[in-house]
C-alpha cells in the first residue's frame, strides 16, 4: 500500500493530496525530486512509534478496526525505506495479551534492545479504573511480538491512567516514562526491562500524555500531547515541548514555565487554521534524523473533511513534517501540519 507519493519521472500527479494540488511533470524543478503531500499513510495509524532497522523503517500503531478501509488490526505494523512510501505488513501481535480481562492495546512504543525488539504497550479501555503497561518482545521488527506480561498497572504504581509508555536508555540504565492526564512519570526498570525499580519521579503535570524524550545539544526535550485526542474535527490535540539538562527534570518551556504547570509547554504543532487541514495532530513518534541532519516528526492527525471512518472510528492518519530548530526550540513550520507539496527526507 503506497500512499500520497509521486514518482515524478513516471507519473504526472500525486494521488494522496488533500488540497487538490498536483505535481506538474513538465516542471523540471519538481520533476527531479521525489515529493509528497500529507498524509503519508492512511486510513489509520494512531499513536505511532517508529524504529529504524538498516535502511528500513517500521512504524506501529494502536489496535484499531479500519472497517471497510482495511478491517481489524492488532497493533498494525507498516514499513518504508523513505518515510513517505509505506506498505502494510500486517499485525505485529498474533494474539492479544491476557493479563487483563478486556481492553485495547494502545500506544505501543517499540525500541531495538540488543538483538531484540521491545514493545511497551498500554492495555486499557475508555474510563478504565486500572489500566496498565505491558511488554512484548520479538526477534524481528515485524514481529510476532510475544507478550512478557504486565510491567505494572495503575494501582500498583500509584499513578491513575497509567498508559502511553516510552522507553529510554540513559547512562547504561533502562527507564520508562508514561502517563495520561494524571501527570507524566519516570521510573527506572530492572535490567531485563520487565519491572519498575526504585522511586518514580513526576516530570510533568496533568495536562499532558504521550511522553517522548529526544536528546540534542546537551538537553533532554520532553514532547507531550495536550487537549482532546478523539473528537474528530473538533479535537484540540496538539504537541507541546519542554527541556531539561537531566532526564528526571525539571523540564521548562521556552518561557521558563515548569511543565508541572497546567498552562506550560511550547507549541510544536497544532491544528490547521485552514478548513482543509488537520485536527488533533499529536502523539508523535520518535524523531528521525536524515542524512543531511534534518529532523523529521511523524505523528497522527485527522483530516477535517474526513475525520471518521464509516464505522465511526477516528480516522487518525500518519503525518510527516520537518522539525525546525530555532534558538534551541523545535516546531513544525507554521506550527501546523503541512497540507501542500513537500520535499522528502534525504536518507541516502
Amino acid at each position: 500500500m503506497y500512499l500520497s507519493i509521486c514518482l515524478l519521472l513516471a507519473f504526472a500527479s500525486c494521488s494522496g493530496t488533500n488540497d487538490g494540488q498536483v505535481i506538474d511533470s513538465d516542471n523540471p524543478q519538481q520533476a527531479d525530486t521525489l515529493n509528497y503531500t500529507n498524509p503519508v499513510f492512511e486510513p489509520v495509524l494512531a499513536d505511532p512509534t517508529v524504529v529504524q532497522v538498516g535502511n528500513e523503517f517500521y512504524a506501529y500503531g494502536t489496535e484499531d478496526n479500519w472497517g471497510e478501509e482495511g478491517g481489524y488490526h492488532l497493533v498494525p505494523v507498516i514499513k518504508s525505506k523513505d518515510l513517505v512510501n509505506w506498505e502494510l505488513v500486517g499485525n505485529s501481535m498474533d494474539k492479544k495479551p491476557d493479563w487483563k480481562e478486556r481492553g485495547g492495546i494502545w500506544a505501543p512504543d517499540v525500541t531495538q534492545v540488543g538483538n531484540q525488539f521491545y514493545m511497551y504497550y498500554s492495555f486499557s479501555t475508555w474510563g478504565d479504573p486500572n489500566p496498565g503497561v505491558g511488554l512484548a518482545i520479538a526477534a524481528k521488527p515485524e514481529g510476532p511480538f510475544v507478550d512478557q506480561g504486565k510491567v505494572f498497572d495503575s494501582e500498583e504504581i500509584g499513578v491513575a491512567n497509567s498508559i502511553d509508555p516510552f522507553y529510554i536508555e540513559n547512562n547504561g540504565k533502562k527507564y520508562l516514562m508514561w502517563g495520561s492526564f494524571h501527570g507524566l512519570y519516570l521510573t527506572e526498570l530492572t535490567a531485563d526491562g520487565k519491572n519498575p525499580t526504585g522511586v518514580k519521579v513526576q516530570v510533568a503535570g496533568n495536562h499532558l500524555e504521550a511522553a517522548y524524550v529526544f536528546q540534542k545539544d546537551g538537553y533532554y526535550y520532553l514532547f507531550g500531547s495536550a487537549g482532546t485526542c478523539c473528537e474528530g474535527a473538533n479535537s484540540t490535540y496538539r504537541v507541546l515541548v519542554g527541556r531539561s539538562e537531566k532526564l528526571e527534570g525539571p523540564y521548562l518551556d521556552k518561557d521558563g514555565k515548569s511543565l508541572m504547570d497546567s498552562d506550560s509547554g511550547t507549541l510544536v504543532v497544532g491544528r490547521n487554521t485552514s478548513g482543509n487541514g488537520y485536527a488533533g495532530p499529536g502523539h508523535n513518534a520518535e524523531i528521525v534524523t536524515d542524512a543531511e541532519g534534518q529532523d523529521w516528526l511523524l505523528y497522527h492527525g485527522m483530516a477535517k473533511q474526513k475525520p471518521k471512518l464509516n464505522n465511526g472510528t477516528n480516522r487518525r492518519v500518519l503525518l510527516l513534517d520537518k522539525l525546525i530548530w530555532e534558538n534551541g526550540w523545535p516546531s513544525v513550520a507554521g506550527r501546523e501540519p503541512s497540507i501542500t507539496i513537500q520535499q522528502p527526507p534525504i536518507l541516502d
Side-chain angles (χ1 to χ4, degrees):
M1 185 182 300
Y2 293 88
L3 300 163
S4 305
I5 183 68
C6 301
L7 185 56
L8 298 174
L9 297 178
F11 297 98
S13 66
C14 183
S15 62
T17 59
N18 292 307
D19 56 353
Q21 295 197 33
V22 296
I23 298 174
D24 182 359
S25 60
D26 295 327
N27 183 328
Q29 184 175 6
Q30 290 181 344
D32 289 340
T33 308
L34 182 70
N35 293 296
Y36 79 95
T37 306
N38 275 321
V40 292
F41 184 82
E42 55 185 333
V44 180
L45 199 78
D47 310 322
T49 181
V50 64
V51 63
Q52 182 176 2
V53 184
N55 65 347
E56 291 187 312
F57 298 89
Y58 293 81
Y60 313 76
T62 282
E63 173 188 358
D64 232 322
N65 186 349
W66 302 357
E68 296 176 357
E69 296 189 59
Y72 169 76
H73 290 284
L74 179 58
V75 191
V77 54
I78 61 178
K79 70 177 180 179
S80 172
K81 290 187 176 181
D82 55 19
L83 297 178
V84 173
N85 283 302
W86 293 90
E87 70 174 297
L88 177 65
V89 176
N91 297 339
S92 58
M93 286 183 170
D94 287 339
K95 61 180 181 179
K96 183 176 287 190
D98 60 6
W99 52 266
K100 275 176 65 71
E101 290 185 3
R102 63 189 183 94
I105 306 304
W106 300 348
D109 178 68
V110 178
T111 308
Q112 185 169 358
V113 180
N115 294 322
Q116 297 179 307
F117 296 86
Y118 281 36
M119 176 191 290
Y120 290 91
Y121 61 86
S122 315
F123 202 167
S124 181
T125 62
W126 285 103
D128 196 328
N130 190 31
V133 170
L135 171 64
I137 297 177
K140 301 181 295 183
E142 61 268 33
F145 283 81
V146 178
D147 189 45
Q148 308 296 303
K150 177 175 61 176
V151 178
F152 55 75
D153 61 31
S154 297
E155 292 178 357
E156 292 170 348
I157 202 71
V159 177
N161 207 25
S162 281
I163 60 172
D164 291 359
F166 169 71
Y167 172 87
I168 185 170
E169 295 182 4
N170 192 55
N171 296 326
K173 295 181 179 180
K174 296 179 171 69
Y175 292 89
L176 201 67
M177 193 176 286
W178 80 98
S180 174
F181 303 128
H182 289 80
L184 298 183
Y185 287 82
L186 176 74
T187 185
E188 186 181 342
L189 296 170
T190 52
D192 61 7
K194 296 182 178 181
N195 294 284
T197 184
V199 178
K200 66 180 182 289
V201 177
Q202 187 172 358
V203 296
N206 296 343
H207 61 307
L208 295 173
E209 65 172 8
Y212 166 68
V213 175
F214 183 67
Q215 293 179 251
K216 184 180 177 69
D217 297 335
Y219 287 100
Y220 297 87
Y221 287 84
L222 173 54
F223 293 74
S225 295
T228 57
C229 71
C230 306
E231 296 181 352
N234 296 319
S235 299
T236 61
Y237 221 38
R238 58 199 183 277
V239 178
L240 305 176
V241 69
R243 72 183 188 184
S244 173
E245 294 180 351
K246 298 180 180 180
L247 178 61
E248 64 271 22
Y251 287 90
L252 307 179
D253 67 14
K254 186 177 180 180
D255 295 326
K257 289 184 179 179
S258 169
L259 287 195
M260 296 291 287
D261 297 338
S262 62
D263 61 346
S264 65
T266 299
L267 182 64
V268 177
V269 60
R271 61 186 288 129
N272 289 100
T273 55
S274 165
N276 291 327
Y278 294 91
H283 205 122
N284 62 282
E286 289 80 355
I287 291 168
V288 177
T289 304
D290 72 12
E292 298 292 315
Q294 172 65 54
D295 292 326
W296 294 84
L297 193 71
L298 287 160
Y299 57 104
H300 75 230
M302 289 165 282
K304 294 180 181 180
Q305 300 301 315
K306 193 177 182 180
K308 299 277 187 176
L309 298 169
N310 289 339
N311 63 9
T313 299
N314 287 290
R315 197 174 188 274
R316 292 182 283 179
V317 297
L318 185 63
L319 306 175
L320 173 70
D321 278 301
K322 286 183 180 179
L323 199 60
I324 300 167
W325 294 86
E326 185 175 356
N327 298 321
W329 291 96
S331 68
V332 165
R335 293 179 171 80
E336 297 181 353
S338 66
I339 58 173
T340 57
I341 298 166
Q342 303 292 310
Q343 292 186 349
I346 299 172
L347 295 168
D348 294 330

